[in-house]
């Protein structure tokens, strides 16, 4: 195992990471987008993005796009390269505010978190559409890990922390259990060649209705490209 530093809250760090990775001339068969913050107080990344949207979504959007060429070169007809993005059931209540993606008008930690997780689902579906249109041997899927007992809950209200401490053994998944669906998406033969799926408990399930809005997927993709400073190659694809 070899570690390379990458701060998903920093566009500069992401670009530096990709440069270091490419310099190794390694293939890339699996990319798991799993970083995240939850319910943090209103604050910005070094690039000026609201932290939930900047780290949870834009960081992964840029990282994935910068690594796409390597993924495409690594995938084959019989063994596709795989992109797995970790969302959350909170995306079901999320609303995408295209005119206020940074939550400047009215900040809500819950709303900002849910929006970032909905954006990840929209991103995955649009990405799979583009990969299919280009005939790439790469698949993109999105995973709901469930409610997992991790440090992600450190910003919740103290009463919730107490309740979590008392009931985690009964209602929360262990980190190992929470990772199982991501691992399934990454290595299962059943997922070979399958993309554009929303997975929960190692099964394909339906995401929020709004996530299937192709116009919203396109508009978010275009706006995301502008925000992270990359060209929008998707403009030529319906």
């Amino acid at each position: 195992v070899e570690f390379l530093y990458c701060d998903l809250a920093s566009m500069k760090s992401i670009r530096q990471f990709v440069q270091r990775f490419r310099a190794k001339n390694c293939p890339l068969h699996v990319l798991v987008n799993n970083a995240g913050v939850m319910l943090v107080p209103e604050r910005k990344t070094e690039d000026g993005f609201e932290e939930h949207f900047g780290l949870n979504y834009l960081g992964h959007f840029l990282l994935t796009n910068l690594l796409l060429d390597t993924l495409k070169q690594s995938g084959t007809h019989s063994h596709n390269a795989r992109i797995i993005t970790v969302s959350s059931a909170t995306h079901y209540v999320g609303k995408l505010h295209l005119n206020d993606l940074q939550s400047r008008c009215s900040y809500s930690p819950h709303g900002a978190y849910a929006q970032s997780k909905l954006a990840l689902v929209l991103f995955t579906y649009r990405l799979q559409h583009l990969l299919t249109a280009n005939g790439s041997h790469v698949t993109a899927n999105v995973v709901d890990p469930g409610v997992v007992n991790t440090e992600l809950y450190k910003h919740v209200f103290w009463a919730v922390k107490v309740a979590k401490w008392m009931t985690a053994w009964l209602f929360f998944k262990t980190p190992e259990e929470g990772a199982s669906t991501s691992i399934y998406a990454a290595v299962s033969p059943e997922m070979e060649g399958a993309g554009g799926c929303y997975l929960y408990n190692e099964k394909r399930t339906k995401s929020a209705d709004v996530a299937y809005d192709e116009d919203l997927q396109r508009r978010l993709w275009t706006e995301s490209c502008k925000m992270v400073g990359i060209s929008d190659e998707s403009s030529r694809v319906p």
Side-chain angles (χ1 to χ4, degrees):
V1 176
E2 182 179 352
F3 294 93
L4 295 177
Y5 178 79
C6 181
D7 179 359
L8 267 293
S10 165
M11 302 294 118
K12 178 180 178 181
S13 177
I14 293 168
R15 292 179 182 277
Q16 290 174 339
F17 164 80
V18 172
Q19 287 180 340
R20 288 193 295 268
F21 179 78
R22 283 179 172 172
K24 293 180 175 294
N25 292 315
C26 293
L28 179 57
H29 300 106
V30 178
L31 172 65
V32 181
N33 292 319
N34 188 53
V37 292
M38 185 175 78
L39 307 184
V40 297
E42 186 173 10
R43 59 193 188 197
K44 300 184 186 304
T45 67
E46 66 178 44
D47 301 288
F49 301 125
E50 186 277 316
E51 190 167 358
H52 290 99
F53 196 78
L55 193 161
N56 295 3
Y57 170 66
L58 286 177
H60 291 123
F61 178 86
L62 178 61
L63 178 67
T64 302
N65 273 280
L66 295 181
L67 291 172
L68 264 184
D69 284 345
T70 306
L71 285 157
K72 290 176 180 178
Q73 293 162 11
S74 305
T76 65
H77 178 72
S78 58
H79 290 90
N80 282 217
R82 304 186 187 189
I83 301 168
I84 297 94
T85 297
V86 180
S87 181
S88 161
T90 56
H91 92 274
Y92 286 105
V93 297
K95 295 183 179 179
L96 195 77
H97 302 284
L98 274 173
N99 296 323
D100 187 26
L101 292 172
Q102 304 302 319
S103 302
R104 293 190 178 98
C105 292
S106 178
Y107 182 76
S108 159
H110 295 84
Y113 178 69
Q115 175 179 245
S116 72
K117 291 301 181 177
L118 174 59
L120 289 171
V121 183
L122 289 158
F123 155 67
T124 299
Y125 291 165
R126 181 59 179 167
L127 175 59
Q128 182 59 52
H129 179 79
L130 297 174
L131 291 168
T132 301
N134 293 328
S136 302
H137 297 307
V138 184
T139 58
N141 291 298
V142 60
V143 165
D144 174 2
V147 183
V148 187
N149 188 13
T150 69
E151 290 299 310
L152 199 60
Y153 296 86
K154 63 184 178 181
H155 292 289
V156 300
F157 187 59
W158 69 267
V160 178
K161 289 183 181 179
V162 173
K164 172 180 174 289
W165 176 76
M166 296 174 64
T167 62
W169 64 275
L170 183 61
F171 297 113
F172 285 62
K173 292 183 178 181
T174 65
E176 291 77 9
E177 292 169 338
S180 65
T181 303
S182 293
I183 296 170
Y184 172 80
V187 302
S188 171
E190 297 173 21
M191 293 302 296
E192 179 56 47
C197 303
Y198 185 86
L199 302 169
Y200 176 64
N201 284 345
E202 301 181 17
K203 290 182 174 61
R204 303 180 200 191
T205 188
K206 188 175 181 294
S207 62
D209 290 339
V210 69
Y212 299 103
D213 184 332
E214 295 182 358
D215 181 61
L216 189 60
Q217 294 168 15
R218 284 192 292 268
R219 292 168 66 194
L220 174 63
W221 186 283
T222 298
E223 187 61 28
S224 302
C225 288
K226 294 177 184 176
M227 295 173 82
V228 301
I230 61 175
S231 59
D232 183 6
E233 303 295 337
S234 74
S235 57
R236 297 188 293 271
V237 180

